[in-house]
């Protein structure tokens, strides 16, 4: 790890004043469960590290209108055990609870989960965000790609690592991004971006900004379902988050978002259309799962993920509707 200056501000204004205008000048430190590995592996070597855990205004979960505000430094453990979150947004509580190991849930924060860097082994091995050789050829397309994207047209083939991304998009949540010169609020669906070059980031955050909070509106029946290789410390292979607005037994509108299948959380609009105006049953959920993956374009080594994504969508729909899976 390279030497760095450490700052420990207690106010948001002080923290914002310590950030730089370009990546590499200063990195925000929350729980450190991702940042410290990145620094040890020389993927990030910031000149300054700004700890935000002692800034009170970045914490807490509170009611806002009929929804909730979740501070960026709320830990995954706080989130998954919060009574309001469990009651209003079971999809989010489920996503938090599935992040394996109590140690990670105790240290990791919601803001850090959304800002974590991709787990792609080419990126983590030093071949850049797009995983390319010196001539710019994709190492992913012809290499070891069993955990990579099954949707999208490149050049980014990593999968978005955040389990909260799909759940928050399905719930219609927004994030607040604040810099010394002001703040902006954007839908979580616009926070994740598919980079076109190695110099870009996979999220809309700028180097001089801190993600301060997430605001979630009132939601319908919602659920998350993850398909995992094992019940141990690892990311899901695929996941799906569903939010159903109901009129009695009929779906008035549906949002279905798949996770760990593309460089960004991936909206399954065909599945949403299939559910609208219908009553959920196992057959319909199965068809919606099929529709969700109809346009998948797996790489050489990951076509198995198509079936897993289909199952995740089907089971998330059934779980949201309260039907046993
Ligand atoms: C073995 C293992 C298994 C995991 N499994 C899962 C999983 O199943 N699903 C899942 O979603 N995640 C998983 N994770 C990731 C884990 O949830 C994240 O590492 C954690 O949430 C990051 O939070 P943190 O507070 O520790 O972030 P940090 O490590 O402190 O920061 C991570 C990144 O975000 C930036 N950052 C942090 N907070 C902010 C902020 N408020 N504003 C701006 N930038 C910020 C940092 O600068 C850094 O680049 C796993 C991690 C490990 C190590």
């Amino acid at each position: 790890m390279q030497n760095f200056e450490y700052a420990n501000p207690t106010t948001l204004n002080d923290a914002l004043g310590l950030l730089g205008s370009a990546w590499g000048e200063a990195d925000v430190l929350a729980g450190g469960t991702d940042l410290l590995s990145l620094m040890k592996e020389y993927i990030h070597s910031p000149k300054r590290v700004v700890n935000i855990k002692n800034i009170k205004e970045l914490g807490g979960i509170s009611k806002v209108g009929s929804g909730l505000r979740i501070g960026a430094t709320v830990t995954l453990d706080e989130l998954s055990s919060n009574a309001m979150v469990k009651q209003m947004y079971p999809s989010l509580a489920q996503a938090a609870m599935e992040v394996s190991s109590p140690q990670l849930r105790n240290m990791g924060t919601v803001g850090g989960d959304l800002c974590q860097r991709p787990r792609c082994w080419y990126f983590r091995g030093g071949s850049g965000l797009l995983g390319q050789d010196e001539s710019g050829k994709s190492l992913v397309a012809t290499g070891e790609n069993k955990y990579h994207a099954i949707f999208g047209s490149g050049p980014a083939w990593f999968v978005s690592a955040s389990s909260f991304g799909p759940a928050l998009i399905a719930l219609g949540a927004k994030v607040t991004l604040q810099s010394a010169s002001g703040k902006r609020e954007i839908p979580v669906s616009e926070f994740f971006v598919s980079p076109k070059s190695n110099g870009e980031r996979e999220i809309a955050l700028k180097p001089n900004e801190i993600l301060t909070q997430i605001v979630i509106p009132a939601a319908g029946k919602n659920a998350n379902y993850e398909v995992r290789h094992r019940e141990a410390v690892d990311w899901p292979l695929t996941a799906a988050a569903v939010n159903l607005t109901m009129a009695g037994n009929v779906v008035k509108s549906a949002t279905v978002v798949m996770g760990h299948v593309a460089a960004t959380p991936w909206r399954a609009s065909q599945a949403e259309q299939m559910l609208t105006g219908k009553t959920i049953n196992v057959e319909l959920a199965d068809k919606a799962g099929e529709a969700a993956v109809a346009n998948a374009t797996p790489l050489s080594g990951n076509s198995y993920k198509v079936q897993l994504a289909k199952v995740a969508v089907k089971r998330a729909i059934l779980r949201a509707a309260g039907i046993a899976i």
Side-chain angles (χ1 to χ4, degrees), residues 22 55 60 68 79 84 106 138 140 148 154 158 161 164 201 203 215 220 236 273 290 292 297 310:
I55 303 174
L68 280 192
L79 187 76
M84 290 186 292
N106 281 328
S138 171
V140 185
H148 286 79
F158 60 79
F164 291 173
R201 283 268 167 137
I203 51 174
V215 175
Q273 282 157 23
E290 260 169 38
T297 50
K310 178 190 150 181

Side-chain angles (χ1 to χ4, degrees), residues 249 251 271 273-291 313-314 317-318:
N249 279 339
V251 177
Q273 282 157 23
M274 190 162 276
L275 298 175
T276 307
K278 313 240 177 60
T279 300
I280 307 278
N281 57 35
V282 175
E283 199 192 345
L284 179 66
D286 194 54
K287 284 200 177 132
E290 260 169 38
V313 169
K314 174 184 175 181
I317 293 168
L318 292 175

Side-chain angles (χ1 to χ4, degrees), residues 164-317:
F164 291 173
L168 290 170
I169 293 172
L171 293 168
K174 291 183 174 174
V175 284
T176 303
L177 308 176
Q178 189 151 350
S179 70
S181 55
K183 61 180 165 189
R184 57 194 178 115
E185 193 181 43
I186 60 167
V188 179
S189 55
E190 290 171 21
F191 182 67
F192 295 97
V193 287
S194 187
K196 299 284 178 246
S197 70
N198 282 314
E200 293 169 49
R201 283 268 167 137
E202 65 286 356
I203 51 174
L205 185 85
K206 294 184 182 148
N208 64 345
E209 287 177 325
I210 291 179
L211 190 162
T212 57
Q213 64 177 15
I214 298 144
V215 175
I216 319 177
K221 292 185 170 198
N222 59 87
N224 194 62
Y225 190 91
E226 295 184 350
V227 181
R228 286 177 173 269
H229 184 218
R230 52 188 182 146
E231 292 294 325
V233 279
D234 214 339
W235 282 256
L237 294 167
T238 62
V242 170
N243 183 22
L244 305 173
T245 305
M246 306 296 291
N249 279 339
V250 175
V251 177
K252 221 167 109 192
S253 67
T255 315
V256 180
V257 187
M258 291 180 278
H260 309 274
V261 295
T264 62
W266 199 261
R267 189 98 180 243
S269 22
Q270 294 99 322
E272 294 171 357
Q273 282 157 23
M274 190 162 276
L275 298 175
T276 307
K278 313 240 177 60
T279 300
I280 307 278
N281 57 35
V282 175
E283 199 192 345
L284 179 66
D286 194 54
K287 284 200 177 132
E290 260 169 38
V293 297
N295 296 328
T297 50
L299 298 164
S300 57
N302 66 5
S303 49
Y304 76 101
K305 282 183 69 169
V306 176
Q307 172 67 12
L308 301 190
K310 178 190 150 181
V311 169
V313 169
K314 174 184 175 181
R315 294 189 181 175
I317 293 168

Side-chain angles (χ1 to χ4, degrees), residues 1-7 29 36 39 45-49:
M1 191 189 279
Q2 274 182 21
N3 288 345
F4 57 89
E5 182 188 313
Y6 178 71
L29 173 75
L36 296 185
M39 290 172 67
S45 295
K47 296 192 184 95
R48 178 184 292 155
V49 168

Side-chain angles (χ1 to χ4, degrees), residues 8-27:
N8 193 14
T10 52
T11 69
L12 182 56
N13 275 347
D14 284 352
L16 292 170
L18 288 158
L19 298 183
S21 56
W23 295 115
E25 288 178 23
D27 269 4

Side-chain angles (χ1 to χ4, degrees), residues 33-156:
T33 59
D34 189 28
L35 183 65
L36 296 185
S37 327
L38 291 161
M39 290 172 67
K40 285 184 192 165
E41 289 158 12
Y42 295 93
I43 306 297
H44 278 221
S45 295
K47 296 192 184 95
R48 178 184 292 155
V49 168
V50 181
N51 177 26
I52 58 166
K53 285 192 301 293
N54 294 317
I55 303 174
K56 279 212 180 79
E57 59 207 281
L58 294 181
I61 301 177
S62 54
K63 272 247 174 205
V64 178
S66 48
L68 280 192
R69 173 213 173 261
I70 299 171
T73 57
V74 164
T75 64
L76 310 194
D77 187 55
E78 282 176 75
L79 187 76
S80 65
S81 57
N82 182 277
M84 290 186 292
V85 174
K86 284 203 278 194
Q87 195 247 320
M88 295 164 71
Y89 313 117
S91 58
L92 200 53
Q94 286 154 8
M97 201 52 217
E98 298 229 24
V99 175
S100 30
S101 104
Q103 292 91 334
L104 273 171
R105 293 197 296 274
N106 281 328
M107 289 305 294
T109 63
V110 181
D113 188 273
L114 291 172
C115 297
Q116 65 176 295
R117 307 297 324 264
R119 301 307 302 183
C120 166
W121 42 40
Y122 293 104
F123 168 61
R124 298 268 165 174
S127 299
L129 186 54
L130 301 182
Q132 294 171 331
D133 68 12
E134 280 148 19
S135 70
K137 199 177 113 220
S138 171
L139 295 164
V140 185
T142 51
E144 290 290 340
N145 52 35
K146 64 180 172 179
Y147 298 128
H148 286 79
I150 56 169
F151 286 96
S153 50

